[in-house]
Amino acid sequence: EFIEVAEVPEELLGNSARVVRRGAEKLGLHGQPLRRNARHCKGSGVCCFGCPTEAKRSANVTWVPAAVKAGARLFAGSKADRIELGKQHVVHAGALQLEADAVVVSAGTLHTPSLLWRSGVRHPALGRNVSIHPACKASALFDEEIRGWEGVPQGFGIHDLHGEGILFEGIFTPPEFGAFALPFVGAKLTQVMEQYAQMAAFGFLIEDRSVGVLRLDTSRPQLFYELGKPEMEKLRRGVDMLARIFFAAGAREVFAPVAGFESLRSLADIEGLRTARLSPAMFELSAFHPLGSCRASRDPSRGVVDQQLEAHDAQRLFVVDGSVFPSSLAVNPQLTIMAFAQRAARHVHARLSGAPRA
Ligand SMILES: Cc1cc2nc3c(=O)[nH]c(=O)nc-3n(C[C@H](O)[C@H](O)[C@H](O)COP(=O)(O)OP(=O)(O)OC[C@H]3O[C@@H](n4cnc5c(N)ncnc54)[C@H](O)[C@@H]3O)c2cc1C
Ligand code: SF4
């Protein structure tokens, strides 16, 4: 309720989602409007640039103002350089030095381990075990006008393959963003972009068991991640299914983000993709959800933090962000991160009130 989660109403779904729903239903799949934290959404379609109307109830318009109202002091724009860990911790952030009985680090999966490393933490799980939810999309050209940039870009999902670790979600982006996500350049890209109003697009993320590792002894953390064969097969299956959905909806051409299969014109072309020898490097991918670089575990040798998210190696040092998840979530992580934060807040309060470690 606090972040105003509600189902996307039919009138804001947008035609790209409607086309996908039409194709999915023909194949016997079950799509549904997604539940989002944007109850007063106007469907302007520009979520990828930041919501201009604050309809999207992100942390900056929900949790942060609530914390300030409750007495928190915010040092906007300051970067924590390191934490001097001791009986009383000291956070160094540029010219600022803040003494604290407890410190909560929430710099995200890439930067939290980096900050802990700079603070002298050397746990063997620090910066390891990073999952990323590899994500992929496909677009398709139709004879009808779609104007996919109108409506909620991510308003619709298909959950039939979730058991296989594949989650389909809408992903239509405005042309200035969509252009660089198409697998073409030069004259072909121009020709495709001229028909942008007749295009639909849809994406999916996969649950990954492959894990990456962060290099922390550099000025910026660097992630090394190698996509495994099981993940590649999930990607192939996802692209295959999207292409079938688009053709069932009446597409004349499907653009797949797979080298050598950029243009699919028939079910026979999909069959070629299904049986081809592929390698992970042939897929054009994104990764919006890095998780896991400070894994939580009861076992001090496996987890950087314990089940209350307090560091095994330091008293009253907490990690509260996506880095604590022990494995890939297979769903968008924001809500779970927020739920973990609320749970952790109670433990921080208890520890500051003198409770011993659980
Ligand atoms: C384009 C995009 C779309 C997404 N859409 C969705 C969605 O629809 N649903 C969903 O569930 N998830 C979505 N996600 C994922 C979601 O945004 C993240 O998983 C989530 O925000 C991660 O939360 P976090 O607290 O771990 O880290 P973050 O939200 O990344 O917060 C970390 C913060 O720490 C700050 N920071 C880093 N280092 C320092 C430092 N040294 N000192 C001070 N501050 C520092 C950063 O500036 C940042 O503000 C999306 C992500 C992207 C990129
Ligand atoms: S579509 Fe996205 S950017 Fe537009 S109002 Fe809704 S949440 Fe905001």
Side-chain angles (χ1 to χ4, degrees), residues 266-320:
S266 65
L267 292 176
D269 287 348
I270 301 182
E271 201 50 29
L273 173 64
R274 198 177 67 77
T275 53
R277 275 182 71 131
L278 299 178
S279 70
M282 292 166 76
F283 287 82
E284 202 177 302
L285 304 173
S286 339
F288 301 111
H289 307 152
L291 302 168
S293 57
C294 293
R295 165 169 73 191
S297 171
R298 262 178 227 274
D299 179 350
S301 68
R302 284 180 52 78
V304 176
V305 295
D306 65 16
Q307 68 274 29
Q308 319 295 10
L309 310 188
E310 185 167 354
H312 281 294
D313 291 355
Q315 299 275 328
R316 289 166 284 98
L317 172 67
F318 294 83
V319 174
V320 184

Side-chain angles (χ1 to χ4, degrees), residues 78-80 106-108 111 118 154 288-289 321-322 332-334 337:
S78 56
K79 177 180 173 237
S106 305
H111 293 283
R118 293 197 299 273
Q154 197 175 57
F288 301 111
H289 307 152
D321 57 27
N332 305 48
Q334 185 180 245
I337 294 171

Side-chain angles (χ1 to χ4, degrees), residues 36 38 40-47 50-56 151-153:
R36 304 169 69 237
H40 302 290
C41 171
K42 305 273 184 286
S44 61
V46 293
C47 305
C51 181
T53 61
E54 297 192 348
K56 184 96 185 260
V152 179

Side-chain angles (χ1 to χ4, degrees), residues 199-220:
M199 275 173 59
F202 219 65
F204 64 93
L205 63 82
I206 61 163
E207 178 181 11
D208 49 338
R209 297 275 162 89
S210 298
V211 287
V213 59
L214 281 164
R215 190 170 165 199
L216 300 172
D217 59 351
T218 50
S219 55
R220 295 168 66 86

Side-chain angles (χ1 to χ4, degrees), residues 123-135:
H123 193 283
L126 190 70
R128 309 193 85 84
N129 189 50
V130 182
S131 61
I132 60 169
H133 283 164

